[in-house]
Amino acid sequence: MGAKKWIAMLLAGGQGSRLGELTIGLAKPAVPFGGKYRIIDFPLSNCTHSGIDTVGVLTQYQPLILNDYVGNGKAWDLDLDVGGVSVLPPYQGKEGGEWYKGTANAVYQNIQYIDNYNPEHVLILSGDHIYKMDYSKMLDYHIEKNSEATIAVIQVPWQEASRFGIMNTNDDDKVTQFDEKPKYPKSNLASMGVYLFNWKNLRRYLINDEKDANSSNDFGSNIIPKMLEDRKKLYAYRFNDYWKDVGTVESLWQAHMDLLEETPNFQLDDQQWKIFARNANHPPQYISSDAEVSQSLINEGCMIHGNIEHSVLSYNVQVGYGSTIKDSVIMPNVTIGENVHIERSIIASNCVIEDGAVVGNSAVTSDITLIGENQTIVNPNKKKITLN
Amino acid sequence: MENVLGIINLINERQHLKELTAHRNVASVPFGGRYRLIDFTMSNFINADVSKVAVFPKEKYLSVMDHLGSGKEWNLDRRSGGLYILPPIHPDETVTGDMKQFYDHLSFFERAAADTVIISPGSHVCKLDFNDVLDYHKKHKADITVVYKDYVGELIEKPIYHTCSVDSDDDITDISFYTIPRPGDHVCLETFIISKTLLVNLIKSCVASGEYDFLKDAVKANLHRFTVKGYNFTGDMPFIHSIESFHSSNMNFLNPSVIRSFFGDTWDVYTKIKHEAPTKYSRSSKVTNSLIANGCDIEGTVENSILFRGVKVKKGAVIRNSIIMQKGVIEEGAIVENIITDKEVKITSEKSVIGLKQPVVIKKAEVI
């Protein structure tokens, strides 16, 4: 097999525990987003648009839906004979097997997969961010700087910087120091979880890191600091476009609300950079004469008889007469009865909200209400009929 | 259905949809917000598990080839079976009839492992369960089964339908060509089940004697020789034969119960994927009683209308009782009423285009 210029390894095994009930039966990258997508569609579509034809998807937590969704990669044009997309769960070998201990260990356990393609560079991606990025520009930068490792960074508000891995750089954007979630950040350049390495060099670091019993086998905590310690040339690659970590209920909700701006910073309907997704086959949406829809995103298969205001509705959502949905995200196959009121909420897939039920709190200071998958919400005031 | 070969016969199409069929065949006329007419026949085959389908186009078939592609959206991109497009092999010759084109591709029929052939045109909007028709065909030990439907709809002007007479045993006793059916008349849906051996024999014998029309020379001419049964299709199916009936049958899909009956859980209608984003409604959008495909951006008013994928409706624009096909742009303050715009039409700001008694068609990519 001839050598590939580069391949991508997509870390999709995360549990995403901060998403609460949304990820009970679902890996975070498989969480629905934007009315028709799943979070993993964004990095996968980026790979396709950036000319990467080989992507290893590392799965671990609740992989069933994710595996099925990725399939043979055909939705992203990644159904190729050599390369394409491969789902890579942990496996057992002669020496036994183990779960992926950390991000670096997950890649370490798949050295053989990467060696198969003998790539010059390996791009490490995470499956929980919403953004459109041309990784090929990052590769150009990486080569131009003669960098050993290039880390994509974005400027975050100073008050939020301590939530992220922060890069301290010199004037040339050469990384001098990496602080994982620093209490007193020295810079506001946050790592986006997008790393580009020269494979031969990374391979050596992964093997050494594995031998270190004290390591947590993580790119951010171990590999990058070790490379800095060894005075390797690491560069920060600045990204100036929309990027959102959707790891919490609040940020997932906020990212949806961002899509509803009159001119959003992140456009789903970008004809030059389409977001590819497995297509759920549904008819066009039907908006009845009783419906009112404003400032919303609505997907195919919906049938709307109520009022939709500033919300995102996934495919096959049914909304009954007299119901109002405001500032909310409704995931696929949700049935909403009549005279229901939903506000500032995320309703996960396959829920049923019965007639007259109220979900969510309109106070801006309140938390976002999350209803997990397959729930039925009843109207507490509904008279119970008991049969004797 | 391991042993069934599906044939979509576009050779006998009648180009009665005026501007909409000026540059494309009837089968690829857009319908229902995101489909083409041929999607319904394709989906009927797929829902009956027919895994080998051949399309016989006659002319203007670029759009149908583009639409069907490798057949992957219908799960027909297969190692064995799959999708075949078999156009006329002598493009300079006038096509004399479907039997001639079948004859030109005779080896395709002979090589196919199938023992039964289902032939259907690409223009009927219906959910026809071929398993039911096949059961009926076998139960009656028919040589040929002809699917017909009782005509519903207004009196039509042009004689374009073939009607058949059926006796009390469901035997077809006669076929009349180019008639004007009255309500209740049995319209031949040009959909047939026949064994492959019999079909191959008929193709050879008809072409040898200079007869080229399947319905006329193979079916009608042999009514007394073969067991030819009529299968009465009683499901929903609009009769589309003019711009008016095309418009009204699209509008029928503004009824939620029609939407549910056509696109229910057990029956998918497949079409080409476009990877369009969900449709965006702005603060100023007013949409009522409308069917909207993905990728639209709506800032204006849309009433009783059907919008295909990627349509833009700017602020202050009004669309009523209209069908706006793919990538139409209706600019600020424009009024569109009782209109069918073909793909990529642009109505510039403040223009009014209003069809009065009958819907008016605006040609593909026209700017008004």
Side-chain angles (χ1 to χ4, degrees), chain B residues 227-269:
Chain B
T227 307
V228 182
K229 288 284 177 185
Y231 176 94
N232 187 1
F233 174 61
T234 53
D236 288 341
M237 190 200 99
F239 284 89
I240 300 173
H241 43 74
S242 61
I243 290 299
E244 295 75 42
S245 56
F246 173 80
H247 183 265
S248 63
S249 55
N250 266 281
M251 292 301 159
N252 245 338
F253 276 75
L254 295 181
N255 180 342
S257 66
V258 174
I259 299 172
R260 285 197 196 98
S261 82
F262 265 86
F263 308 105
D265 289 341
T266 55
W267 196 279
D268 276 325
V269 180

Side-chain angles (χ1 to χ4, degrees), chain A residues 30-41:
Chain A
V31 167
F33 184 86
K36 97 168 232 184
Y37 310 95
R38 292 183 187 263
I39 296 171
I40 196 172
D41 287 328

Side-chain angles (χ1 to χ4, degrees), chain A residues 262-277:
Chain A
E262 207 73 348
T263 336
N265 290 326
F266 187 83
Q267 280 186 320
L268 290 172
D269 62 345
D270 184 345
Q271 296 295 314
Q272 307 307 314
W273 199 278
K274 283 193 175 191
I275 311 300
F276 304 117

